[in-house]
Structures are given as C-alpha cells and as structure tokens.
Amino acid sequence: MISANNVTYRVGKKALFEDVNIKFTEGNCYGLIGANGAGKSTFLKILSGQLETTKGEIAITPGQRLSFLEQDHFKYDAYTVMDTVILGNKRLYEIMKEKDAIYAKEDFTDEDGIRASELEAEFAEMDGWEAESNAAMLLNGLGIDTSLHYALMSDLTGNDKVKILLAKALFGNPDILLLDEPTNHLDLDAIAWLEEFLINFDNTVIVVSHDRYFLNKVCTHTADIDYGKIQLYAGNYDFWYESSQLLIKQMKEANKKKEEKIKELQEFISRFSANASKSKQATSRKRALEKIELDTIKPSSRKYPYIDFRPDREIGNEVLTVDGISKTINGEKVLDNISFIVGHDDKIAFVGSNEIAKTTLFKILVGEMEPDEGTYKWGVTTSQAYFPKDNTEEFDNDYTITEWLTGYSPVKDVTYVRGFLGRMLFAGEDGVKKVKVLSGGEKVRCLLSKMMISGANCLIFDEPTNHLDMESITALNEGMIKFPGVELFSCHDHQVVQTTANRIMEILPDGTMIDKITTYDEYLENDEMARKRTVYNADAARSEDED
C-alpha cells in the first residue's frame, strides 16, 4: 500500500493541491486524471520520491518495492536492452553483476565461494534464473523483436526506447507500479498487450493516461485532481464521468430549490414584517432564511475546446484513387503496391505497427513525398487539410499565433481568426504568443485551428491525439464523428478509432495492406479469430507430423 497523508505541494505561491489524504491499496488499478497543469505527473513524482512535498508525507508499506516509468530516453544508452529491463529490479541486477565478477576471478578464494553461495541463494529466491526469459516476454509483448534484446540502447529508435523503459518498469512484479502516459508512442497491438498485463496484475497500479478506452479497460478506481484536491471514485473513467456530472447536476438542482425557498421567504418577510399579527411568523422565516446555505460549486480546471470541421463545399463521388504505390525508406520497402479507392462517405483508420509506412503514405497523398512507383489522384471536388505527426517545421518561425493562423485563413481579418483561436482555448493575450514557444498541446490545438479554418472536405490526421489532454481528445473525437466529409487517419486512441472509422486499412510489416469495411472492434475480433485459427492449424499440422 502507498498513501499520501496531509500532502500539500506548492509551486511558488500557487498550491497544486492541498491537504491530500488518499490510500492506494493492493489489487487495484487507479487512474489519475485531471486537466493539463492540474498536477498529475507532479503527484506521481511525489509518490515515487522524485519530488519533496511542501507539507505532509508519503507512506509505503515496509518491504514493498516501487517501480515507475522513467522518461529519460538516453539514461541507459550504455546498457544493453536486456540489462536495462532487468535494472527494473535493481537488487537483482546488482546480484547478477556481483556474481559474474566473482566467477570471473582467476584467484577464486574460499571467501569468494562463501559470498557466491550467499548470492546464489538470494538470486534463486528472487527468481533470478527466470529473469532473462521474463524480460524477453515483456519485450516481445511490447513489440521489441528478439534480434534487439541484446543490442545497445544507444542503437535503438526513440519509440523502441519508450517500450523498453516501460518493460523495465513492469519487470520483476513490483509491489507498487507508477505509470505516466504508458501508452504514448505504443502501437495499438502493444497497447492491447499492456491492457491485458495490467488487468492481470495483482499489485497496486497508479496510472496517468489520456486514453479513455485504456483507462476504462484497466482501472478499478479513478482519482480526480481538480479544485486543488484529489477525489477518489470507485470505478473506471466512464463511471467517474457519469458520477461527477451527476454530482454537479444534483448540486445545481439543490441550489435551485434553495434559491426558490429563499425568494419565497424574502417575499413573505417583505410583505409582513411590519404587520403586528404576522411579526412572529416573519421573525421565524428570517431565522429559517439565515440557515439556508447554497452549495459552493467551484469552477473546474477542465476546459473543453470547440472543434467543428465545416467543409466549404460538398464532396463529389470521386474522392481519391490510389494505384500501385510503392516506397522504400532507408533500404526498407514500407509500401508495396498499395491500391485502394476512397468513397465519399469513408472514414478510414490506418492501423498496424509500421508507423513509418502510415506517415509515408500520408505524405505522398498530400504531395510532400514522391512514390517510387504508382500514382494517386484526388477528385476535382476535393480539398485536403493535413495534420502531420512531426510539426517541428510548421512552428520554426517568429510569428505570433494570430499571425501564423492568419497566413492560412481565407479571410484576412484578425477578429475572424481570433474566433477560431478562441474555440481552441487561446484567449486574450494568448494571440500574441510566439508559436515557437508553444507547448506540445498548444501546437496541436493550433494545427486543429488551421484545419478548421481551411474549410477542407478531406481531412488527413497522423496521430492527432499526441500531446492533447483528455478534454481536447474528447472534443476532437466529437468533431471527427460529426465531420460530414472524408477522413483518413492514424491514431493510437482506441476510442477515437472505434467511434470514428467505418473502414480499416492495416499496413502490414512487409508493406502490403489489408482493407476491410468494418468497425475497429469488429476488425480486432476477426483478426483474433484468424490468429487462433492459424495457431490451431499449426498445432494440428504438428500433431499429424508426430503421428
């Protein structure tokens, strides 16, 4: 168990939270939620000991091991992948290295033998002989190929490093597991594997995530940071949302009844306070009036942008034809003879573990990259707006937000442009901020403003939910569902894919593609059944061979 006792944390004069008392117990998974800036990551750092409280203390059951997901992708560059994962249990790693050093000695003494025996006993008690196989299981589940298990961390890509640091946090069955945005940079297969891992994990988990589907799948409880407090709810994210909305509704209804009662009492007092025969009743009502207190409904720190993509013209029947597109990147064929036709009602989710392939296809379709082979053709009634995964070049300039968006607006009017920025929570002086200093979430909201102001009838999104908070993801999800045009998108948010897409295209590791008109959940279900059939057929074939 881990608990916060009267914890307060201040940044300057501002308190992120005050007098927090909360217990996280064994066997439960807690989703820690709140608006950007509410203090979710800060609270995890306090729990893990990386930050000191301003007041109060963190208590952990004696003897329990705490593990957390690290964010420094370069910290373990001198280590192999396998060693990095096993470092998740630092004591086990130390035993392994001390044993190896003793056995490597040329002048092996009796004292060395005694020490080696002690280490072997502790090693066996910690399931040390299973360490590498357990680490390999975690790495394989997260999509790290076996060929990379003994490679140096410095030789790996950023996305692979994220997965390895996650495997390190999960390694060795920690008693308390703290995860800050564990689904970031994971493909949908890896997220599904992590969901199952956490569902079957018997100890304490506290997780911060902007993925609503993920939180609904894994969480038994929800801890909500708002109003400077942390309120604990039994149930997953959807249960929290319904409960919190119901609570606010009940408070408003109770206040309304109280306000009506106050008005009734005030009218009676006003009418009869000077009437001798009614003076006792008027006095009684004054006392009753003094006792009525309205419930304080504090303004939430949560703010929802308004995302509404409105095309300037209706799309025709001919939208997009892709014929035999192939592309090789750094010697690897990421797209191999890709062909498909897009209809005017299509909302297509591109899925699969090959992130480069999806980004490459989108860049080809918007004219940022040429295919090695094949062609594509947009219909004459179409107009496209593109959300790139990497927006570095987009904001590498000295424009203010207003100047930047005005450059893309068909109407060069500041008031008109500020209207779009206002919908995306850029109010007042925000408009004169330089785009180069914006946070990741602010840049995403700028790009969504650019797409809204374009009036395009074909939207292409490459991972638009990265860097967004839960409220912005919810607003984007609703905007994508309502959009009457065509959408081509890749997204790691399961709920966005499931509620938006009516067609799934999976780009396979060899660059070929599967194209199905279906929902995402139905696609996954059929894919799982196909995998089971493959395993069954392979087992049957082996049995026949043995016979």
Side-chain angles (χ1 to χ4, degrees):
M1 182 186 77
I2 183 169
S3 62
N5 304 314
N6 296 314
V7 166
T8 295
Y9 184 79
R10 295 181 180 276
V11 180
K13 293 183 178 180
K14 180 186 176 184
L16 276 183
F17 26 79
E18 288 189 282
D19 299 322
V20 169
N21 290 283
I22 189 169
K23 291 181 180 179
F24 303 98
T25 57
E26 186 177 349
N28 292 313
C29 179
Y30 299 84
L32 188 61
I33 64 171
N36 273 2
K40 301 183 294 296
S41 296
T42 299
F43 189 66
L44 282 191
K45 288 178 180 177
I46 290 171
L47 291 177
S48 67
Q50 297 175 75
L51 287 177
E52 293 288 332
T53 64
T54 304
K55 188 182 78 172
E57 64 176 10
I58 302 300
I60 298 176
T61 302
Q64 291 201 336
R65 185 170 70 86
L66 181 147
S67 180
F68 61 92
L69 175 57
E70 296 182 75
Q71 306 294 331
D72 185 350
H73 299 172
F74 303 101
K75 183 176 179 179
Y76 299 97
D77 275 1
Y79 294 84
T80 66
V81 170
M82 184 60 67
D83 280 354
T84 301
V85 176
I86 296 174
L87 268 165
N89 188 334
K90 191 174 180 182
R91 178 56 189 155
L92 177 61
Y93 183 80
E94 289 171 348
I95 292 171
M96 290 174 64
K97 292 305 173 185
E98 188 176 350
K99 279 200 315 144
D100 291 345
I102 290 173
Y103 291 139
K105 284 185 174 182
E106 293 184 2
D107 52 341
F108 192 86
T109 65
D110 290 343
E111 288 78 8
D112 289 331
I114 293 170
R115 180 57 180 162
S117 178
E118 292 171 348
L119 291 171
E120 290 289 5
E122 190 176 355
F123 186 70
E125 190 176 323
M126 299 177 74
D127 291 329
W129 297 111
E130 306 296 326
E132 291 199 6
S133 62
N134 289 338
M137 179 195 72
L138 294 172
L139 291 167
N140 290 334
L142 290 168
I144 300 297
D145 192 84
T146 306
S147 63
L148 298 175
H149 289 190
Y150 292 91
L152 278 175
M153 286 285 284
S154 57
D155 294 334
L156 272 64
T157 64
N159 281 4
D160 282 344
K161 285 182 178 181
V162 170
K163 292 179 178 180
I164 293 157
L165 290 177
L166 177 55
K168 175 181 179 292
L170 303 178
F171 177 77
N173 196 37
D175 300 291
I176 301 162
L177 179 58
L178 309 181
L179 300 174
D180 192 356
E181 296 294 354
T183 61
N184 277 3
H185 307 291
L186 296 188
D187 57 69
L188 291 164
D189 285 340
I191 293 173
W193 178 90
L194 179 61
E195 288 167 357
E196 289 304 312
F197 182 95
L198 294 179
I199 287 168
N200 295 307
F201 188 75
D202 293 329
N203 299 331
T204 305
V205 182
I206 306 170
V207 59
V208 171
S209 177
H210 291 148
D211 189 326
R212 297 158 296 167
Y213 182 88
F214 177 78
L215 291 176
N216 281 329
K217 285 274 284 188
V218 305
C219 291
T220 60
H221 295 72
T222 301
D224 178 31
I225 302 182
D226 205 358
Y227 315 110
K229 302 291 183 183
I230 302 181
Q231 180 70 39
L232 189 62
Y233 295 78
N236 61 16
Y237 176 81
D238 280 352
F239 183 84
W240 161 81
Y241 184 79
E242 291 170 7
S243 300
S244 61
Q245 294 302 304
L246 179 61
L247 182 61
I248 293 171
K249 183 181 178 182
Q250 288 173 338
M251 290 175 68
K252 287 181 177 179
E253 288 176 350
N255 275 355
K256 185 177 180 182
K257 290 179 180 177
K258 289 178 182 179
E259 287 168 351
E260 290 172 353
K261 186 65 177 176
I262 289 170
K263 185 178 179 182
E264 178 188 321
L265 292 172
Q266 287 174 335
E267 288 177 351
F268 184 92
I269 294 166
S270 177
R271 284 179 62 192
F272 298 109
S273 59
N275 187 321
S277 63
K278 299 279 189 180
S279 61
K280 284 187 179 181
Q281 290 172 284
T283 302
S284 174
R285 280 166 171 75
K286 281 181 182 178
R287 293 195 189 107
L289 181 61
E290 289 168 359
K291 292 179 181 178
I292 298 176
E293 291 184 6
L294 296 176
D295 294 319
T296 302
I297 304 177
K298 296 180 181 178
S300 172
S301 58
R302 290 182 168 84
K303 290 181 172 61
Y304 290 84
Y306 178 70
I307 299 178
D308 186 20
F309 304 106
R310 296 184 182 181
D312 290 337
R313 65 182 296 185
E314 189 174 343
I315 203 165
N317 289 327
E318 293 185 9
V319 180
L320 172 65
T321 300
V322 175
D323 185 14
I325 282 183
S326 295
K327 185 69 178 180
T328 297
I329 303 288
N330 296 328
E332 180 183 352
K333 200 163 195 177
V334 296
L335 299 173
D336 186 6
N337 195 30
I338 299 295
S339 299
F340 58 90
I341 297 174
V342 177
H344 68 277
D345 293 322
D346 281 344
K347 293 188 176 181
I348 305 172
F350 288 81
V351 302
S353 59
N354 196 335
E355 303 292 320
I356 295 174
K358 288 178 279 187
T359 296
T360 299
L361 178 61
F362 291 154
K363 284 186 174 182
I364 289 172
L365 296 181
V366 297
E368 290 189 4
M369 187 180 287
E370 289 293 325
D372 296 335
E373 299 173 27
T375 61
Y376 68 93
K377 182 180 179 183
W378 289 99
V380 293
T381 63
T382 65
S383 54
Q384 300 83 41
Y386 173 49
F387 182 102
K389 181 187 289 187
D390 183 359
N391 57 43
T392 306
E393 291 185 9
E394 188 78 63
F395 297 101
D396 186 17
N397 55 69
D398 287 319
Y399 291 132
T400 65
I401 297 176
T402 303
E403 290 169 343
W404 178 86
L405 187 58
T406 301
Y408 296 107
S409 174
V411 179
K412 306 300 181 184
D413 176 74
V414 172
T415 303
Y416 178 80
V417 171
R418 282 185 176 272
F420 283 88
L421 292 174
R423 296 178 196 174
M424 298 306 293
L425 309 180
F426 294 109
E429 295 183 1
D430 286 340
V432 297
K433 286 174 70 173
K434 298 285 189 180
V435 294
K436 63 169 57 176
V437 302
L438 298 179
S439 68
E442 287 174 325
K443 288 177 179 177
V444 170
R445 285 189 275 122
C446 278
L447 289 171
L448 294 174
S449 299
K450 173 186 170 184
M451 295 182 80
M452 285 195 291
I453 211 168
S454 73
N457 54 25
C458 294
L459 305 181
I460 301 173
F461 299 97
D462 194 358
E463 301 299 341
T465 60
N466 289 353
H467 306 294
L468 288 183
D469 59 18
M470 196 89 74
E471 293 70 42
S472 296
I473 291 173
T474 300
L476 173 61
N477 195 176
E478 291 172 355
M480 291 176 70
I481 292 170
K482 289 190 302 182
F483 179 62
V486 165
E487 291 174 333
L488 312 179
F489 68 97
S490 66
C491 183
H492 289 160
D493 188 297
H494 185 115
Q495 192 161 335
V496 170
V497 179
Q498 168 58 20
T499 57
T500 305
N502 55 22
R503 186 175 173 184
I504 305 295
M505 293 187 181
E506 180 178 4
I507 301 180
L508 301 174
D510 64 359
T512 59
M513 193 174 72
I514 298 172
D515 182 1
K516 298 285 185 182
I517 298 175
T518 182
T519 66
Y520 184 55
D521 283 347
E522 288 170 345
Y523 183 82
L524 289 178
E525 184 179 346
N526 292 333
D527 187 45
E528 182 64 25
M529 290 173 65
R531 288 176 186 172
K532 287 179 179 177
R533 283 196 297 272
T534 300
V535 171
Y536 174 80
N537 291 336
D539 289 343
R542 278 196 294 272
S543 297
E544 289 178 6
D545 290 341
E546 289 168 2
D547 292 342

